[in-house]
Amino acid sequence: MDSYYNKEVECASEEELQKIQTERLIDMVHRCYNNIPLYKKRFDDMGLSPDEIKSLDDIKKLPFTYKNDLRDTYPLGMTAVPRSELSRVHASSGTTGKQTVVAYTKKDLEVWAECCARALCAAGGNKDDFVHISYGYGLFTGGLGLHYGAEMLGATAIPVSSGNTKRQVDILVDYESDILCCTPSYATYIGETAKNMGIDTSKLKLRAGIFGAEAWTEQMRSEIEELLHIKAYDIYGLSEICGPGVSFECNEQSGMHINEDYFYPEIIDPDTEEVLPCGEYGELVFTCIGREALPLIRYRTGDICKLKKEKCSCGRTFIKMSRIKGRSDDMLIIRGINVFPSQIESVLLSLGMEPNYLIEVDRVKNQDILVVKVEIPRDFTPVTIKDTEKIKKHIAQEMKSTLNISAIIKLVEQNSLPRSEGKAVRVIDHRIQK
């Protein structure tokens, strides 16, 4: 039986949902114009009055917001409320520039917690569960969203954070955790560590996992489910919009329901910014219609996916987004071909390889070179060098057939590639440094 945190909204009719969205959009546009100088200037430069926004169709008249807008107004120039009304701030790591600072009012934090409570319910969570949270805590938005979501649900939050993986495994065993929350790559690492400690993961009380913060594939889902003997659910979010809980998978596992009473989605062509219809891949854009402190208008996420409006067996009527195919800004262009790391991962896992790999791109004599390092499968014991070469050739052929690009495949020893306790580093592009 499917459970909901807020069934009235999660299963609302299209008309009821559009009424909520329209009212919140109109209110948000006026607040942005009256309180955020960047938006006032952008509206005035376009000759657009907030009074012209009267329906959801009018959203196309509104300007886009870019990550650089947050950096250019650092730290709090995009907030729509005074500092005295803020309850918390988070921020991105700032590894590619200034930090993007995200502010919350008390109501914003309640909304965020509810979105995460909805995700936990969709994964079968309830008030009797112990929720083991291995996302990072601190300025990063990962851990605290699901922490307060678990508490709002009435469940017990275990704020483990990341790191000290053997201790993580001990806690899973000793506390009899029911739900694990972390990145998919770290879930794999936890599973590997448990096996190396001689622990039979099928004996754990753990029954579900909520994994996000990095792109992953269906093959990796199967790997995690087999490794930890759980059902693995996808969750999506990004700091600028609120954090994890923007969308989540239900038991059907056929896409993530977007909490569209708070976050209105669009898909655009990343080059032309033209809105694309449901079912077409493009860049995901969100308008934060339910936020007070940081009500971003048509924020370009950089994430590539598609929207799916279809009846779901869980009963939720929220639109679904597909798994993230990649990012418009980490898409690799190799010899003129667009390649996403998730596509390479999909090829590797479909061939029974490990979900531990490293993609290296370099330029030698004006020629792009793609090298994929992947760990030898646990159950593979090559008898001769010829056996190893045969596997490498097979992977290269499949890569060429699927992605239309040639790659140098390097098989490396088990556990020789670095493991991650947060977001996995999958790509090193040496061309950037040249």
Side-chain angles (χ1 to χ4, degrees):
M1 180 180 175
D2 290 293
S3 60
Y4 316 92
Y5 182 79
N6 187 343
K7 185 174 182 179
E8 184 179 352
V9 175
E10 294 176 61
C11 301
S13 68
E14 187 173 358
E15 294 75 18
E16 291 169 332
L17 188 55
Q18 286 183 355
K19 185 175 183 294
I20 293 171
Q21 292 171 324
T22 302
E23 289 175 355
R24 289 181 176 172
L25 174 65
I26 292 170
D27 174 69
M28 172 205 175
V29 167
H30 281 84
R31 285 190 296 109
C32 286
Y33 184 81
N34 293 328
N35 297 289
I36 303 174
L38 180 143
Y39 282 134
K40 184 178 189 308
K41 184 178 187 308
R42 207 158 275 178
F43 275 50
D44 290 347
D45 288 347
M46 296 170 64
L48 178 66
S49 166
D51 293 330
E52 294 179 48
I53 308 303
K54 299 176 180 177
S55 71
L56 291 175
D57 289 337
D58 292 331
I59 202 167
K60 295 177 184 178
K61 299 177 183 178
L62 295 170
F64 288 99
T65 307
Y66 307 88
K67 193 159 194 168
N68 277 340
D69 291 332
L70 291 166
R71 291 176 178 147
D72 292 343
T73 57
Y74 173 89
L76 296 170
M78 293 291 286
T79 53
V81 300
R83 289 171 66 103
S84 59
E85 292 184 23
L86 299 180
S87 290
R88 193 193 302 166
V89 292
H90 282 280
S92 70
S93 61
T95 52
T96 57
K98 269 190 181 292
Q99 286 185 320
T100 53
V101 180
V102 187
Y104 303 78
T105 63
K106 182 181 178 182
K107 182 182 176 185
D108 289 335
L109 293 174
E110 291 170 353
V111 165
W112 185 17
E114 179 177 342
C115 289
C116 288
R118 292 177 186 180
L120 285 162
C121 277
N126 60 67
K127 64 181 180 61
D128 297 321
D129 286 332
F130 273 48
V131 182
H132 182 114
I133 302 165
S134 296
Y135 287 112
Y137 282 67
L139 283 177
F140 175 61
T141 55
L144 285 169
L146 282 153
H147 179 110
Y148 285 104
E151 291 185 348
M152 182 172 275
L153 180 61
T156 302
I158 311 175
V160 190
S161 194
S162 57
N164 200 340
T165 308
K166 288 184 178 179
R167 179 169 168 266
Q168 300 259 0
V169 174
D170 287 338
I171 291 172
L172 287 173
V173 173
D174 298 341
Y175 293 22
E176 297 186 325
S177 307
D178 300 282
I179 298 174
L180 171 65
C181 303
C182 61
T183 61
S185 56
Y186 194 43
T188 304
Y189 190 26
I190 288 173
E192 289 175 343
T193 302
K195 291 213 166 186
N196 291 337
M197 292 169 65
I199 291 170
D200 182 354
T201 54
S202 69
K203 299 294 198 311
L204 293 176
K205 192 166 181 282
L206 204 63
R207 70 174 190 278
I210 297 178
F211 308 121
E214 61 188 18
W216 53 308
T217 60
E218 284 300 316
Q219 290 93 336
M220 192 166 187
R221 188 208 298 273
S222 299
E223 177 89 13
I224 291 170
E225 291 185 336
E226 183 178 343
L227 201 55
L228 290 171
H229 300 275
I230 61 173
K231 188 158 186 174
Y233 295 85
D234 205 353
I235 190 171
Y236 172 84
L238 64 164
S239 298
E240 300 90 315
I241 304 302
C242 84
V246 173
S247 66
F248 57 88
E249 270 190 328
C250 64
N251 200 53
E252 193 175 274
Q253 294 180 305
S254 62
M256 291 173 281
H257 290 285
I258 296 172
N259 283 306
E260 54 177 328
D261 55 327
Y262 295 121
F263 314 108
Y264 185 83
E266 298 173 274
I267 295 291
I268 66 166
D269 182 307
D271 297 320
T272 67
E273 296 190 333
E274 175 190 358
V275 177
L276 301 176
C278 269
E280 288 194 26
Y281 277 101
E283 183 179 347
L284 181 61
V285 171
F286 277 115
T287 298
C288 303
I289 56 176
R291 292 204 60 188
E292 292 183 335
L294 196 68
L296 299 180
I297 296 173
R298 302 190 84 190
Y299 182 76
R300 291 190 55 170
T301 68
D303 289 325
I304 303 298
C305 69
K306 64 181 178 180
L307 298 179
K308 302 187 287 184
K309 198 163 187 65
E310 56 190 30
K311 188 172 182 179
C312 185
S313 60
C314 77
R316 291 175 180 83
T317 52
F318 287 159
I319 197 168
K320 288 181 182 178
M321 58 181 277
S322 69
R323 188 184 293 279
I324 298 299
K325 184 179 180 181
R327 284 188 57 81
S328 59
D329 56 3
D330 76 357
M331 177 179 69
L332 296 167
I333 301 178
I334 304 171
R335 298 191 290 276
I337 297 174
N338 296 342
V339 179
F340 289 105
S342 59
Q343 293 174 306
I344 293 175
E345 176 181 294
S346 183
V347 171
L348 293 174
L349 295 184
S350 70
L351 296 173
M353 305 306 292
E354 299 292 330
N356 301 306
Y357 61 93
L358 182 66
I359 301 164
E360 291 188 272
V361 188
D362 208 341
R363 185 164 287 138
V364 179
K365 295 181 180 179
N366 295 319
Q367 176 74 24
D368 287 343
I369 306 297
L370 172 63
V371 177
V372 180
K373 296 179 180 177
V374 60
E375 290 183 359
I376 296 170
R378 299 183 190 89
D379 56 356
F380 174 64
T381 307
V383 178
T384 65
I385 293 177
K386 189 175 180 181
D387 292 331
T388 303
E389 291 301 317
K390 186 177 179 181
I391 287 185
K392 287 161 59 177
K393 184 178 180 181
H394 183 45
I395 295 171
Q397 287 174 338
E398 286 299 311
M399 204 81 72
K400 177 74 172 177
S401 173
T402 304
L403 305 178
N404 196 30
I405 191 167
S406 57
I408 298 169
I409 308 300
K410 293 186 177 181
L411 292 181
V412 298
E413 293 296 326
Q414 270 283 316
N415 301 314
S416 63
L417 293 177
R419 296 301 196 263
S420 171
E421 294 174 346
K423 289 190 179 183
V425 176
R426 301 293 198 194
V427 180
I428 300 176
D429 194 340
H430 298 287
R431 299 172 300 178
I432 297 172
Q433 303 158 16
K434 292 186 175 182

